[in-house]
Amino acid sequence: AMEKDLNQNSPRIRKIRDNSYPPNTPTSRMNNNNQRDNHPNSPRDYNYSPSSPTARLRWRNRSNEIPAEVKRGNASNVRNLLLGDKNKYRSMWIRTCSSLWMLGGVFFIIYMGHLYIWAMVVGIQIFMAKELFFLLRRAHEERRLPGFRLLNWHFFFTAMLFVYGRILQQQLVNTVSSDRFIYKLVSGLIKYQMVICYFLYIAGFMWFILTLKKKMYKYQFGQYAWTHMILIVVFTQSSFTVANIFEGIFWFLLPAALIAMNDVAAYFFGFYFGKTPLIKLSPKKTWEGFIGASVATTISAFLFANVLGQFQWLTCPRKDLSTGWLHCDPGPLFRPEYYPLPTWIASFSPWKEISILPVQWHAFSLGLFASVIAPFGGFFASGFKRAFKIKDFGDSIPGHGGFTDRMDCQMVMAIFAYIYIQSFIVHQDYSVEMILDHISISLGHEEQKMLYAKLGDILRHKLQGGV
Amino acid sequence: MHKENTGDAPSAPTPRVLHHRKRNFDAVAGAGKPNGSHLLVNDKSKYKSFLIRAYSTVWMIGGFALIVYLGHLYITAMVVVLQIFMARELFNLLRRTHEDKQLPGFRLLNWHFFFTAMLFVYGRILSQRLVNTVTPDKVLYRLVTSLIKYHMAICYSLYISGFVWFILTLKKKMYKYQFSQYAWTHMILIVVFTQSSFTVANIFEGIFWFLLPASLIVINDIFAYICGFFFGRTPLIKLSPKKTWEGFIGASITTMISAFLLANIMGRFLWLTCPREDLSTGWLQCDPGPLFKQETHALPGWISNWVRLDTVQYWNSYTSNLHCFLNGKRRFTLQLPWKEISVLPDFGDSIPGHGGITDRMDCQMVMAVFAYIYHQSFVVPQSLSVDKLLDQIITSLTLEEQQALFTKLGQMLQEVIGS
């Protein structure tokens, strides 16, 4: 319950991407702290530096925020991030506190398990959607239509039913196998899931059409389209995240950690070495920060994967919706392989061989993606905010802005992680499992027996025929 | 040529590409009249426009019949072509209102996303059929299976490259325009591809499942027009002043009846009812399944004939009609508000007397999705999914994996019996 508005000068707390420094001002050497006199304390200035070592503890991303009103002509109006503001320590303190709380919360939830992580993702989703819907409405506050807000949430609910119904089908079926009646109910629901969601959607669609008012058509259609875009953006990311979670918390934790790592590393590299600007959209980013962060992220991906891969809690997939402890055979990806160190290293190090989990090689690609492509999610968000002249997506998190600001890079990464897993990791091991799952979902008991009998015939035939 | 979707436009019937959709009779009357007396019954020049529309309709129907005769692959090709035209119309729509803000390469970006969407959608729908088509040849088989395996990854990389390209081309002071364009591109692609992907999925389940819904929409249109022509008095909805309750109700009843009869007629042809399991174009032979077997029902005594009916008719006629009901209402709302906003008479002017392709397809969109979902939920489970699964097992698993599956399935069944 921290006070959201710290600086009397700005309505919102500025968040600054702590990656790099404006290179084109002579006073941007960050090791020189005596530049205070060069810039008046202008209201929209970069007052809050999201600094430093505490940023490492940050769980979520920070978005790039450059208010549109900043006068760029004032070259001497230095955007020294860490200087020149009396409030910066206070804001840094607030950011640190909220980061710590977030981090602590996340650790706790991970400890609790898959179901709770899912609940957390759903909660974040709801907040994100709320922020974005609110943003949508705020832009046209004078034209509020009664019941429109409800329509948005109707579509949100439909999307949630659809997405989680599809993803968690298998888990749901496995959870209720024991009881006969609920089993039939659940499998009936799953079978007709598409129809149910479709009719919900059509109901929302018709409701929309019936509430069209003369002279507000353009506004209403615009709203409708934006609602769809918002839901797509929010749900694509979270649905893939949830799918990853149930494959194993590892596949959720590693990409998210890599994004955070990338942020922090980029900040540091920009801090110390930043000279050449990276992209016009984010003037504070530098090539040195970018490249340094890429290298650091890929290396840390390698190491993180090793550390995280040793916990069964993180690597085992969850096949149902229970919350108990997990035991499984982690699969060939997580079995350590031992490589002897070359002799010239072995001579002065205590370890004679290193153990590498095969998954670490995959982690390289994840790290590469996180450092090269995922920042574009951040660019997209900042471009979007600049285009529509909004400062933050919301103000739920003290010191940071809204949830959407935190999640912009995560979005791109979650989708990539899911697709990577489905294409390069899962298929190698589990096709028999997949078909078994498919059988248990889509066929009834008698049909399964029929399939079993027919398959038995075919196999016997093949073996006898000597094929 | 700037066509108005009214009867007053002296549009020359320029014969263009053979289109297959029927026209919207109800919009023939003069929409320019501000007062309420613009129902079809009262229009003077309706007969001339009637002729123009009749002419292009006949061409469209003829072309369509030809394509249905040729087969699944050609229908799919036709759907793809229509898609391209629709997308082009819709992309142009957006650009027309901001003509001064041309950004180089932006149009290309739209088509890049279009191509990615096409690869994704058709890859998913037709992957099984593609595998079935290339089994004989070894090299090609492996190429195709690996393409299918990495299909999602390929499409995603294409999408991400489009995304990165978009970000790199953001120009100062044009952010808002570019972001809106990006969002609209997505919406357009979603609208266009949802419909056509479901349509193609329906086609490969059997042309019947594509032809019947499409014809029902057309019939609904025609009868709404005719009923409005003769009886129309009370307006239906503010959005479409030319629609009447009489037309609506009359059309619903006739559509229901004709759905029943059409299903009977169409269900007799194996060409229409058999699913296509691969991408060949040859003739089809199959066991049509219990849905298309004829059951005889005795009519009440006062009709002394025995009439043969198909089971599928019962289901289809009722639910499809329900949907046409809703479609009829929706179509005009889709059309008109757009036009009011952007002062655009039509989405395009490809079809003489009718407007553009999107004008024709708007109802079909909703119908195709419904037909697919209906088919997947209520029709397919009645047929032979066990065999399909068996085929899948045999084609995609090796012998050892099949045996492993067999033992595991046995265990699973034992557990269920035991519990």
Side-chain angles (χ1 to χ4, degrees):
Chain A
M2 295 215 182
E3 185 50 38
K4 290 183 275 204
D5 194 358
L6 290 187
N7 185 5
Q8 302 82 343
N9 293 333
S10 66
R12 287 253 167 111
I13 293 180
R14 289 292 89 122
K15 298 170 308 184
I16 303 163
R17 184 131 213 172
D18 46 341
N19 278 353
S20 64
Y21 292 88
N24 40 16
T25 53
T27 51
S28 64
R29 297 280 161 270
M30 291 329 297
N31 32 9
N32 181 359
N33 280 347
N34 302 331
Q35 304 302 324
R36 292 165 165 256
D37 38 34
N38 274 358
H39 53 285
N41 208 354
S42 64
R44 303 280 172 174
D45 214 338
Y46 303 95
N47 301 326
Y48 317 87
S49 51
S51 50
S52 58
T54 56
R56 179 200 328 255
L57 302 175
R58 196 70 53 83
W59 183 246
R60 301 277 174 218
N61 234 358
R62 272 182 245 144
S63 80
N64 189 8
E65 259 218 5
I66 301 165
E69 298 89 329
V70 168
K71 307 174 240 318
R72 300 193 190 287
N74 259 346
S76 65
N77 211 1
V78 165
R79 297 168 190 112
N80 279 330
L81 295 183
L82 295 184
L83 318 177
D85 187 5
K86 317 268 183 297
N87 289 332
K88 68 175 183 217
Y89 291 110
R90 187 164 169 224
S91 56
M92 183 168 94
W93 174 245
I94 289 183
R95 285 183 82 122
T96 314
C97 275
S98 50
S99 311
L100 284 174
W101 272 106
M102 287 201 292
L103 197 64
V106 169
F107 272 140
F108 177 67
I109 298 218
I110 289 185
Y111 176 76
M112 295 291 293
H114 304 75
L115 217 54
Y116 292 88
I117 302 181
W118 175 32
M120 174 182 84
V121 169
V122 169
I124 292 181
Q125 236 181 295
I126 294 179
F127 277 112
M128 264 180 88
K130 205 163 77 152
E131 277 171 22
L132 291 169
F133 285 153
F134 181 67
L135 211 59
L136 200 59
R137 266 185 303 121
R138 195 168 55 130
H140 297 92
E141 232 157 5
E142 70 278 10
R143 307 203 226 183
R144 260 211 237 157
L145 289 152
F148 210 75
R149 196 169 165 187
L150 196 55
L151 188 66
N152 284 345
W153 288 107
H154 171 90
F155 283 124
F156 181 87
F157 173 72
T158 306
M160 188 172 313
L161 203 66
F162 176 68
V163 156
Y164 291 127
R166 281 185 81 93
I167 291 180
L168 296 178
Q169 255 179 357
Q170 188 54 43
Q171 276 79 2
L172 203 56
V173 167
N174 287 346
T175 312
V176 297
S177 295
S178 37
D179 191 291
R180 277 293 172 186
F181 174 68
I182 293 195
Y183 181 74
K184 281 204 213 148
L185 181 68
V186 165
S187 40
L189 272 180
I190 288 178
K191 195 166 157 197
Y192 297 114
Q193 180 227 356
M194 261 188 111
V195 180
I196 295 173
C197 293
Y198 180 68
F199 274 107
L200 281 175
Y201 179 79
I202 287 288
F205 181 67
M206 289 182 64
W207 178 5
F208 167 70
I209 299 267
L210 291 173
T211 59
L212 283 175
K213 278 197 176 53
K214 243 189 149 115
K215 301 195 195 330
M216 293 187 72
Y217 291 145
K218 184 167 187 177
Y219 171 65
Q220 286 181 285
F221 269 88
Q223 289 278 306
Y224 188 75
W226 278 114
T227 302
H228 280 67
M229 284 304 291
I230 287 172
L231 288 177
I232 288 170
V233 163
V234 168
F235 273 94
T236 332
Q237 161 215 0
S238 54
S239 66
F240 286 137
T241 308
V242 171
N244 285 345
I245 291 172
F246 281 89
E247 282 293 328
I249 301 184
F250 178 86
W251 300 108
F252 157 71
L253 203 50
L254 184 64
L258 287 179
I259 297 274
M261 180 73 208
N262 189 53
D263 251 8
V264 170
Y267 173 80
F268 275 115
F269 279 95
F271 192 101
Y272 289 117
F273 308 117
K275 284 184 197 33
T276 16
L278 178 63
I279 191 173
K280 284 190 301 297
L281 264 178
S282 314
K284 288 191 312 293
K285 299 208 160 305
T286 57
W287 275 102
E288 290 81 9
F290 187 69
I291 294 177
S294 313
V295 170
T297 309
T298 27
I299 294 177
S300 51
F302 196 72
L303 300 171
F304 269 3
N306 193 355
V307 168
L308 293 177
Q310 297 177 355
F311 298 96
Q312 271 204 349
W313 182 240
L314 299 180
T315 59
C316 289
R318 173 76 78 176
K319 291 289 179 199
D320 56 17
L321 297 179
S322 65
T323 49
W325 211 249
L326 272 180
H327 292 286
C328 63
D329 172 19
L333 272 183
F334 292 100
R335 285 196 208 103
E337 291 170 9
Y338 295 94
Y339 296 93
L341 286 176
T343 43
W344 58 274
I345 300 183
S347 53
F348 56 84
S349 85
W351 305 284
K352 297 298 168 213
E353 58 181 12
I354 49 174
S355 70
I356 295 189
L357 305 174
V359 75
Q360 288 180 259
W361 306 113
H362 288 293
F364 262 136
S365 356
L366 286 178
L368 205 59
F369 187 86
S371 48
V372 174
I373 306 285
F376 280 90
F379 296 153
F380 186 84
S382 46
F384 186 84
K385 283 193 286 196
R386 213 142 6 132
F388 295 98
K389 309 247 187 327
I390 43 185
K391 307 297 169 293
D392 280 332
F393 282 108
D395 47 15
S396 322
I397 314 180
H400 292 155
F403 278 96
T404 314
D405 294 300
R406 294 278 67 79
M407 303 293 278
D408 47 19
C409 265
Q410 300 283 354
M411 291 196 272
V412 183
M413 189 70 195
I415 301 177
F416 173 75
Y418 176 79
I419 291 182
Y420 187 83
I421 293 170
Q422 295 297 327
S423 305
F424 299 107
I425 294 178
V426 163
H427 275 201
Q428 299 168 7
D429 302 337
Y430 295 114
S431 47
V432 169
E433 296 293 328
M434 267 174 14
I435 293 192
L436 261 183
D437 291 343
H438 196 49
I439 291 175
S440 63
I441 295 177
S442 40
L443 295 183
H445 193 64
E446 291 71 26
E447 290 168 326
Q448 289 177 17
K449 281 200 266 197
M450 204 160 59
L451 181 70
Y452 184 70
K454 286 190 180 179
L455 187 59
D457 286 338
I458 291 178
L459 284 177
R460 235 165 293 148
H461 207 67
K462 275 195 187 172
L463 288 174
Q464 285 168 1
V467 166
Chain B
M1 184 152 52
H2 179 79
K3 281 201 210 325
E4 290 263 309
N5 206 4
T6 70
D8 296 326
S11 48
T14 51
R16 293 269 301 239
V17 178
L18 298 179
H19 303 290
H20 72 289
R21 299 287 172 210
K22 284 247 173 188
R23 55 185 178 266
N24 170 12
F25 277 90
D26 278 272
V28 164
K33 303 195 183 104
N35 54 1
S37 66
H38 42 248
L39 301 172
L40 204 54
V41 184
N42 307 325
D43 197 324
K44 307 272 185 293
S45 61
K46 61 190 176 186
Y47 291 106
K48 180 180 179 195
S49 48
F50 181 87
L51 260 157
I52 292 173
R53 290 180 79 119
Y55 185 69
S56 46
T57 305
V58 167
W59 269 106
M60 290 202 290
I61 294 180
F64 187 51
L66 176 70
I67 301 231
V68 169
Y69 176 75
L70 285 179
H72 305 77
L73 221 50
Y74 291 89
I75 302 182
T76 309
M78 176 184 78
V79 168
V80 168
V81 166
L82 280 174
Q83 239 184 289
I84 294 178
F85 277 114
M86 247 181 105
R88 204 170 69 157
E89 276 178 17
L90 290 169
F91 287 151
N92 282 343
L93 200 71
L94 291 178
R95 267 186 301 118
R96 205 176 349 160
T97 46
H98 294 91
E99 256 165 346
D100 45 317
K101 300 198 197 180
Q102 291 287 340
L103 288 151
F106 211 71
R107 196 171 168 186
L108 195 56
L109 190 67
N110 283 345
W111 289 108
H112 171 90
F113 283 124
F114 181 87
F115 172 72
T116 305
M118 188 172 315
L119 202 67
F120 176 68
V121 157
Y122 291 125
R124 279 185 82 91
I125 293 180
L126 299 178
S127 56
Q128 189 56 39
R129 272 108 190 169
L130 201 58
V131 169
N132 289 346
T133 314
V134 296
T135 308
D137 190 292
K138 275 301 175 185
V139 170
L140 204 57
Y141 182 73
R142 267 192 291 185
L143 180 66
V144 165
T145 36
S146 58
L147 269 181
I148 289 177
K149 191 171 162 195
Y150 297 116
H151 166 254
M152 261 188 111
I154 295 173
C155 293
Y156 181 68
S157 339
L158 282 175
Y159 179 80
I160 283 288
S161 41
F163 179 71
V164 169
W165 178 4
F166 167 70
I167 299 222
L168 291 175
T169 59
L170 283 175
K171 275 197 177 56
K172 243 186 152 126
K173 300 195 198 327
M174 294 188 72
Y175 292 145
K176 185 164 188 175
Y177 173 66
Q178 285 180 288
F179 272 94
S180 313
Q181 286 285 304
Y182 189 75
W184 280 117
T185 301
H186 280 67
M187 284 302 290
I188 288 171
L189 287 178
I190 287 170
V191 162
V192 168
F193 274 95
T194 327
Q195 164 214 357
S196 54
S197 67
F198 283 134
T199 307
V200 170
N202 285 341
I203 290 172
F204 280 88
E205 291 291 336
I207 301 183
F208 179 87
W209 298 106
F210 156 71
L211 202 52
L212 185 66
S215 329
L216 288 179
I217 297 271
V218 165
I219 289 178
N220 194 46
D221 251 6
I222 297 180
F223 280 103
Y225 172 78
I226 291 180
C227 296
F229 194 98
F230 291 117
F231 310 117
R233 295 271 180 277
T234 10
L236 177 64
I237 191 174
K238 283 191 301 296
L239 269 174
S240 313
K242 290 192 305 285
K243 298 219 148 306
T244 59
W245 275 104
E246 291 83 8
F248 191 61
I249 294 177
S252 312
I253 298 174
T254 32
T255 310
M256 257 206 272
I257 297 174
S258 44
F260 205 72
L261 299 172
L262 263 185
N264 192 355
I265 297 172
M266 287 189 203
R268 296 171 201 255
F269 297 97
L270 273 188
W271 181 242
L272 298 181
T273 58
C274 289
R276 173 77 78 178
E277 297 297 348
D278 56 16
L279 297 179
S280 64
T281 50
W283 212 249
L284 274 179
Q285 295 293 329
C286 64
D287 171 19
L291 274 184
F292 293 99
K293 299 229 174 53
Q294 303 199 330
E295 300 174 348
T296 51
H297 295 262
L299 283 180
W302 54 275
I303 303 182
S304 54
N305 301 331
W306 292 80
V307 176
R308 288 174 303 184
L309 302 169
D310 292 337
T311 320
V312 71
Q313 290 174 277
Y314 291 111
W315 288 111
N316 259 345
S317 61
Y318 180 67
T319 44
S320 299
N321 173 66
L322 192 63
H323 226 155
C324 282
F325 232 64
L326 312 173
N327 282 345
K329 187 190 288 197
R330 236 165 286 135
R331 166 215 307 226
F332 304 99
T333 60
L334 282 175
Q335 280 182 353
L336 293 182
W338 272 99
K339 297 176 186 179
E340 279 189 34
I341 300 161
S342 332
V343 194
L344 297 163
D346 284 325
F347 281 105
D349 48 15
S350 320
I351 317 179
H354 291 155
I357 298 203
T358 313
D359 292 303
R360 296 281 67 78
M361 302 288 277
D362 46 16
C363 234
Q364 299 286 351
M365 289 196 274
V366 189
M367 192 68 194
V369 176
F370 173 74
Y372 176 80
I373 291 182
Y374 183 82
H375 180 77
Q376 289 299 103
S377 308
F378 299 109
V379 175
V380 162
Q382 299 175 16
S383 61
L384 312 159
S385 51
V386 169
D387 283 340
K388 277 192 201 160
L389 216 50
L390 207 56
D391 287 335
Q392 208 183 353
I393 292 175
I394 294 177
T395 48
S396 46
L397 295 182
T398 63
L399 192 61
E400 292 76 23
E401 287 172 332
Q402 289 173 19
Q403 286 172 323
L405 179 70
F406 185 68
T407 32
K408 286 195 181 171
L409 185 57
Q411 286 169 0
M412 207 167 76
L413 287 174
Q414 291 294 324
E415 279 169 27
V416 174
I417 294 174
S419 67

